[in-house]
């Protein structure tokens, strides 16, 4: 048995589809108790504010970034978003425009959103983005290799991208909507963490269905188990289809109840979103917001 099979076979995380759905139902049944201003403020500060459009340009990304700058002046009593997330070729635009502290520069890289290109291209994409100022890189797991059981090449790819990130955080996107069972999501989560991922992330939001509460439950259970075995904390990011404050609170509930308050930080919990930021801001201000 190789080290990858050993890591997978030794996991005790529940992955039966019906059982997972029931666990999520029970866990989130009373999530409304967390629909408070304090939680909404935290959720806003956990957002990777994202623009990933074919229409993105240097001008539009600079304007997008400027809104984050302006937020500090317009809402000095509310903590800003966690990061700005853009395509890798715009890292330098964000770096030169961003002038507020505490907001990271995140990019999607490594053949996003399909991970279907040469490894040398993936590695170069990551390295160039970091050289241009990215402090976080979101890369996609090679789903084809995962489905074929080619775990060694899959993990080698991720490790090489991580090493070429040169200190930037690496979030590994599992593309859970393409994985047709919770058992497969479990495998993806474990392999990503053993490949030095700093975060595991649900989805690209581009091709397949986005985040689901069930996928989040499995991923957080895997993070807890991994931490108990290794002592290393891996973050969780929900992305793709998280559009309402109430939905965001349910992901908050799963992280809080499974991983605990120590995971409710900028460094270990994120939500990838665009319109969600306005909806949560509205919950805080009591007004309809179209700020971002």
């Amino acid at each position: 048995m190789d080290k990858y099979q050993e890591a997978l076979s030794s996991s005790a995380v529940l992955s039966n589809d019906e059982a997972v759905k029931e666990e999520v139902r029970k866990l989130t049944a009373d999530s409304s108790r967390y629909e408070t201003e304090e939680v909404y403020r935290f959720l806003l500060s956990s957002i990777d504010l994202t623009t990933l459009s074919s229409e993105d340009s240097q001008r539009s990304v600079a304007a997008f970034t400027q809104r984050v700058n302006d937020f500090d002046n317009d809402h000095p009593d509310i903590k800003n978003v966690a990061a700005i997330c853009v395509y890798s070729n715009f890292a330098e635009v964000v770096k030169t425009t961003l002038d507020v502290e505490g907001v990271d520069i995140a990019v999607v890289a490594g053949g996003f959103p399909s991970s279907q290109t040469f490894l040398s291209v993936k590695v170069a994409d990551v390295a160039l983005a970091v050289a241009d100022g990215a402090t976080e890189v979101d890369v996609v797991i090679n789903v084809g290799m995962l489905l074929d059981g080619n775990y060694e090449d899959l993990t080698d790819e991720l490790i090489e991208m991580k090493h070429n990130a040169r200190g930037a955080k690496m979030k590994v996107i599992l593309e859970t909507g393409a994985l047709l069972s919770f058992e497969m999501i479990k495998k993806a989560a474990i392999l990503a963490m053993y490949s030095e991922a700093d975060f595991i992330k649900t989805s690209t939001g581009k091709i397949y269905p986005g985040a689901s509460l069930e996928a989040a439950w499995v991923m957080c259970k895997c993070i807890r188990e991994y931490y108990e075995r290794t002592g290393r904390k891996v973050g969780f990011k929900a992305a793709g289809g998280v559009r309402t404050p109430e939905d965001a609170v349910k992901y908050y509930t799963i992280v809080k109840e499974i991983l605990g308050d120590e995971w409710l930080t900028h460094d270990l919990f994120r939500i990838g979103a665009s319109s969600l930021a306005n909806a949560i801001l509205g919950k805080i201000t009591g007004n309809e917001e179209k700020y971002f």
Side-chain angles (χ1 to χ4, degrees):
M1 182 182 297
D2 64 31
K3 61 182 178 180
Y4 308 109
Q5 291 288 356
E6 183 177 1
L8 297 173
S9 63
S10 63
S11 174
V13 173
L14 180 70
S15 58
N16 175 273
D17 286 15
E18 293 306 315
V20 169
K21 291 177 183 177
E22 177 60 18
E23 290 295 322
V24 170
R25 186 195 65 76
K26 291 188 294 185
L27 191 61
T28 60
D30 192 27
S31 63
S32 60
R33 70 189 186 277
Y34 293 127
E35 292 176 6
T36 65
E37 181 178 331
E38 180 184 6
V39 170
Y40 286 134
R41 284 175 175 266
F42 168 74
L43 288 170
L44 183 66
S45 72
S46 301
I47 287 178
D48 286 357
L49 193 67
T50 303
T51 179
L52 297 173
S53 168
S54 298
E55 298 174 355
D56 287 343
S57 67
Q58 290 189 354
R59 181 180 297 176
S60 71
V61 170
F64 187 78
T65 305
Q66 187 58 44
R67 291 305 286 162
V68 175
N69 290 338
D70 294 341
F71 188 83
D72 266 18
N73 294 322
D74 295 340
H75 295 282
D77 60 324
I78 303 175
K79 190 174 180 181
N80 217 321
V81 296
I84 297 171
C85 184
V86 296
Y87 282 115
S88 55
N89 53 306
F90 293 118
E92 187 173 19
V93 176
V94 178
K95 181 182 179 181
T96 57
T97 308
L98 187 66
D99 61 16
V100 294
E101 296 182 357
V103 178
D104 290 319
I105 302 170
V107 299
V108 293
F112 180 92
S114 66
S115 193
Q116 297 291 5
T117 189
F118 299 102
L119 177 57
S120 58
V121 174
K122 297 180 186 182
V123 169
D125 194 13
V126 169
L128 288 168
V130 173
D132 276 355
T135 57
E136 302 178 352
V137 290
D138 293 25
V139 304
V140 187
I141 201 167
N142 191 311
V143 174
M145 288 180 180
L146 176 68
L147 297 177
D148 280 355
N150 186 1
Y151 304 145
E152 185 168 4
D153 285 345
L154 181 154
T155 54
D156 284 350
E157 279 200 354
L158 292 176
I159 290 169
E160 188 162 353
M161 283 190 282
K162 170 63 176 175
H163 288 180
N164 280 274
R166 300 196 302 276
K169 288 181 181 176
M170 187 171 81
K171 306 190 197 88
V172 176
I173 305 166
L174 308 186
E175 197 65 299
T176 55
L179 307 178
L180 300 181
S181 69
F182 298 129
E183 177 66 22
M184 193 61 69
I185 293 172
K186 171 181 166 179
K187 288 181 178 181
I190 292 169
L191 291 169
M193 289 188 290
Y194 277 95
S195 301
E196 305 180 19
D198 297 296
F199 271 74
I200 52 175
K201 172 180 170 181
T202 56
S203 319
T204 64
K206 286 293 183 182
I207 303 173
Y208 297 95
S212 72
L213 296 171
E214 291 80 11
W217 187 93
V218 172
M219 291 165 66
C220 287
K221 283 288 187 179
C222 289
I223 290 170
R224 167 56 63 184
E225 182 181 70
Y226 179 79
Y227 172 65
E228 291 172 351
R229 292 182 177 183
T230 68
R232 189 170 79 91
K233 292 180 179 178
V234 174
F236 168 79
K237 178 176 175 179
V242 186
R243 294 187 175 89
T244 71
E246 293 75 18
D247 285 343
V249 167
K250 289 179 181 179
Y251 287 99
Y252 171 95
T253 301
I254 288 172
V255 171
K256 181 178 176 66
E257 297 299 328
I258 295 175
L259 297 171
D261 289 345
E262 59 191 306
W263 255 263
L264 296 176
T265 71
H266 174 106
D267 291 328
L268 293 170
F269 177 75
R270 300 285 182 86
I271 299 177
S274 52
S275 61
L276 176 66
N278 286 323
I280 291 179
L281 181 59
K283 287 287 189 179
I284 298 168
T285 66
N287 302 313
E288 183 178 356
E289 295 284 352
K290 295 183 180 179
Y291 192 91
F292 296 106

